Amino acid sequence: MALVIMISRFIHHRLFRTTLCVCIFSISTFLLEAQNKTKAEKLVVEPATLTSLGFEWYIQGDDNRNASAQIYYRETGEPGWHTFLPMLRIGNEKCGVPDWNFTTENMFAGSIFNLKPNTKYECRIHLSDPDGIIGEAEKIVTLVTRKKPEISYKGRVRHVYPENWDGKREEPSYNGLLHAYFGYQRYADWILTTDPVQPGDVILVHAGEYKADFTNYRDFEGLTFDGTYFLTKDGTEENPIVLKSAGDGEVIFDGNGSAVLFDVTAADHNYLQGLTFRNTNIAIRAGLMNAHGCDGLIVEQCNFFDIGIGIQAQYEGSRGFYIADNSFIGREDTSMVYHHKIENGKNVQRIASYYAIKIHGQGHTVCYNTVKYFFDGIDICTHARPENDPQKKAVSIDFYNNDIFLCNDNFIEADGGNHNIRILRNRCFNSGQQALSNQPVLGGPVYWVRNVVYNCGDASTFKFWGMYPAGILAYHNTSSGILTRDDKPASNVHFRNNLFLPSDDATMPTLGLYSYTSYSTLDYNGYRKREPFIGYRAPVGKMRDFNEGDSPKRFLSLAELNETTGQEKHGMEVDYDIFIKATPTEFKDFNKKHEALGRAYPIYQSGKFDFRLRDSSKPVDAGVLLPGVNTNYTGKAPDLGAYEIGIPIPHYGRRDLNKQPEDKGAWDNLLENGLENWRGFNQTSVPSNWCFANGELSATGFGDDIITKAEYADFIMEFEYNISKGGNSGVFFHVQEGESYDEIWHTGIEFQLIDNDHNPLAQKDSKNKAGSVYALYAAGKDKTKSAGEWNKVKIEVLRGIVKYWMNDELINQFELWTSKWYMDREQTLHNKTRKPDWGEFCKGHIAIQDEGYKIKFRNIKIKPLSTN
């Protein structure tokens, strides 16, 4: 009996252990599968901007990171779906300073951009995972992009006049801005409010200078002691409170040295248009981090100069700003760029003007602004720990088509941005440090797309520095800097279709990347080979490795990099001959010459460069398709870099919104309204030696030259001319103005107009005859008619190739900015009187010369082929 019991216990024990092992194995397998499977959780739709929509889809699982989230969209009513870039997989990346102890949440985040304003879209996001999906695998939402702000005039109109106004007044009229804003004229310490503005009201500010004597107890402007206009009334999104120029002349708010000129931190939906701000440290304060700020601020077509800060809007709860078509001119040194200065033997970063724009919050648009001479250009604020409250994260922010010139620190900072920061099509020239900052991006994605960067000294295009950013997508950028430093880590970064061509004077590798994550990727990029060429570090055998101290490996070729790491399978070596007109930066000699001042760099003018690709260059058709970003490519495949052949260059900086949109297929008749399209060279009006009558433009005697008010890059121009016996004149293109240029021929390229039969200059040298580039390229044949008869001319400038026609026959052709062009130019004696800028600019005015001979023009028309 005892034996039976023992055997029974033995069998029971073995069976239990076997069953237990099977159960444990099954549970482990289930847990492993569950961690690799993706569990779909909430979808967050971010505030829309004018041209973009952003999403965050939170998940659990997907530990092996093989899930994906594809975006599709269509305008409501369209039959088919468009594909956009997939969302970026985010999660478990450490970023920010170590004290923050910040790790990104598990999610997909992504955007659709380049959309139409005020348009309804259906958006479909499809989640897939080879290991399986738990929950809802597809989300469809219908969203509307924001409407461009407009002034409705639905409310009352109030007229504001300066203290010294002595003209007629329109009623109701008010003395100074605060009188109109609050309905009570501020006087001494009386600050009553009796009839304040309401949503939809428009305050028209009439021409003049509004400059408070704020130390005067009885100041006219009512800004006693502080000099600040505190605006505190709320409009609404549909009916903002409007403060705008009345249109009768410049409206200048002079801060008289105040600390803050306008404070709108307590005023939602205020709309400022057409005003000038000067002589103050902060022109507009709209928010402070961890304090308070406003929503819906609109600043449009305003001028800011002699300021320390343009717009300070750092509040994390702000929503829906629109800052567009403004000019910001700071106080920094205009003769050179500084990394740092030396004062009393110490390196310092002395700031005369801090930044043009700094914002935080959600749903903002900052576009088409011109920014010059600041420490920083346009920034997201990072003056606090990362936000836990989803309503206060920096998400859905657009910076696009801004023109930024000379920033001693960074052009654009995505620092502190969480998700869906879209930085598109900006032109950036001359920075003293790293150009495009990500210090730190907190999860991403930040989209850096089709930006042009030139002259960032001995520094990098993308700044990672020591704050460990995560979530960076860089597509189709063109830069004269290295990619980034190979000793400053980042996570989850991806580069496609970019061009990096640093100077021979640079000290760090052209391709540098130190990644904490094995899933960072590089491919289809072009690099200028120089020493050192490649420095790279990423984890091997594991997804993430946040330990520091590893030295990046150096590689001599892209092939060696690819063989060792798998990166840049389709990468290529390039040099500056791929561009129509560009050369490497040079700064080593300049550094040495100015080393007593600190570390300084020379300034390069953007108008002298054309970063479009030459038709036969290696980067043409060498890129990879990125849905929604380069779907409109024109060749066999997308081109590398910021510009696609056949697609016009974007407009950078402030637009002339009063000008009718330009139809690139239409001709502009430059004499349709007489002399309205013309003015004197370096003048504001047409000089007296030019007149217009009976459809003909005539030069009546020796005097000043005239130019078009508009500038042109590529164009086709046609005109007829009738020159007197022995006469001499010329038509020039790409002409520049300014103190440095007192003649049109110092910069412009000429189509020579001359009487070939009777002028001694034409008899002396064939390079001086009609249709020649004076003293450089002779016309191939003489197709002119006799003096006193009408000749027909056609000029075409396209992608650096110039063609001249005389009376419907091609007589001259040459290509600008090639090695042959520069060699020929050096051999031309006439060039020695025109250096260094003759023929160097890629855009400028059309000019007509008066050389003291009678000449007439008619039927002058031009067709622009590009805008920049």
Side-chain angles (χ1 to χ4, degrees), residues 237-288:
E237 185 170 0
E238 287 299 317
N239 295 296
I241 294 170
V242 177
L243 289 71
K244 74 181 295 289
S245 167
D248 51 5
E250 188 173 15
V251 174
I252 301 173
F253 286 94
D254 188 308
N256 198 16
S258 61
V260 179
L261 187 50
F262 273 46
D263 190 306
V264 296
T265 53
D268 291 343
H269 302 291
N270 274 227
Y271 191 156
L272 282 60
Q273 185 188 86
L275 310 176
T276 293
F277 304 87
R278 74 180 184 196
N279 191 15
T280 183
N281 280 346
I282 301 174
I284 300 174
R285 173 176 282 165
L288 293 174

Side-chain angles (χ1 to χ4, degrees), residues 757-799:
D757 296 330
H758 301 98
N759 189 293
L761 195 63
Q763 302 294 317
K764 180 180 179 181
D765 192 329
S766 62
K767 293 179 181 178
N768 302 337
K769 290 189 174 184
S772 65
V773 180
Y774 181 73
L776 181 61
Y777 293 132
K781 56 187 78 173
D782 183 358
K783 300 301 295 183
T784 58
K785 298 178 182 179
S786 300
E789 297 186 49
W790 287 96
N791 293 281
K792 182 180 178 182
V793 168
K794 177 181 175 181
I795 302 172
E796 180 184 284
V797 180
L798 180 61
R799 298 178 57 78

Side-chain angles (χ1 to χ4, degrees), residues 724-852:
S724 59
K725 185 176 181 178
N728 184 10
S729 181
V731 171
F732 297 73
F733 62 88
H734 293 172
V735 172
Q736 308 295 307
E737 292 184 289
E739 295 180 1
S740 302
Y741 313 120
D742 56 8
E743 299 285 355
I744 59 175
W745 47 265
H746 282 170
T747 55
I749 298 170
E750 184 176 11
F751 185 114
Q752 169 78 329
L753 304 178
I754 199 168
D755 176 10
N756 285 344
D757 296 330
H758 301 98
N759 189 293
L761 195 63
Q763 302 294 317
K764 180 180 179 181
D765 192 329
S766 62
K767 293 179 181 178
N768 302 337
K769 290 189 174 184
S772 65
V773 180
Y774 181 73
L776 181 61
Y777 293 132
K781 56 187 78 173
D782 183 358
K783 300 301 295 183
T784 58
K785 298 178 182 179
S786 300
E789 297 186 49
W790 287 96
N791 293 281
K792 182 180 178 182
V793 168
K794 177 181 175 181
I795 302 172
E796 180 184 284
V797 180
L798 180 61
R799 298 178 57 78
I801 297 174
V802 182
K803 298 178 181 179
Y804 290 170
W805 284 263
M806 179 74 76
N807 294 318
D808 298 318
E809 191 159 343
L810 184 66
I811 61 169
N812 209 340
Q813 181 172 334
F814 53 94
E815 188 169 2
L816 298 171
W817 313 308
T818 61
S819 56
K820 181 180 186 306
W821 159 264
Y822 286 111
M823 183 175 65
D824 293 344
R825 198 181 69 164
E826 285 302 308
Q827 294 174 355
T828 302
L829 291 175
H830 190 65
N831 179 48
K832 290 181 170 52
T833 64
R834 302 191 278 188
K835 284 184 176 181
D837 291 338
W838 176 49
E840 286 293 275
F841 290 88
C842 308
K843 179 182 179 181
H845 302 276
I846 305 294
I848 303 179
Q849 188 178 45
D850 183 353
E851 281 277 71

Side-chain angles (χ1 to χ4, degrees), residues 436-463:
L436 308 176
S437 180
N438 302 269
Q439 184 187 350
V441 172
L442 300 167
V446 54
Y447 296 90
W448 299 95
V449 181
R450 295 198 184 278
N451 300 287
V452 174
V453 170
Y454 189 79
N455 189 29
C456 50
D458 192 14
S460 59
T461 307
F462 292 97
K463 181 181 182 181

Side-chain angles (χ1 to χ4, degrees), residues 622-688:
V624 64
L625 177 64
L626 301 169
V629 172
N630 59 19
T631 312
N632 61 340
Y633 66 89
T634 57
K636 297 177 181 178
D639 301 338
L640 305 188
Y643 301 145
E644 175 79 16
I645 287 180
I647 295 179
I649 295 174
H651 179 90
Y652 298 113
R654 183 172 181 165
R655 298 168 292 185
D656 182 359
L657 298 181
N658 296 318
K659 184 180 178 181
Q660 293 298 315
E662 204 173 66
D663 181 355
K664 295 297 184 298
W667 289 87
D668 293 333
N669 184 346
L670 295 180
L671 295 178
E672 183 176 13
N673 298 307
L675 296 173
E676 184 177 311
N677 293 309
W678 302 84
R679 58 178 172 80
F681 174 67
N682 276 330
Q683 300 176 42
T684 57
S685 59
V686 177
S688 59

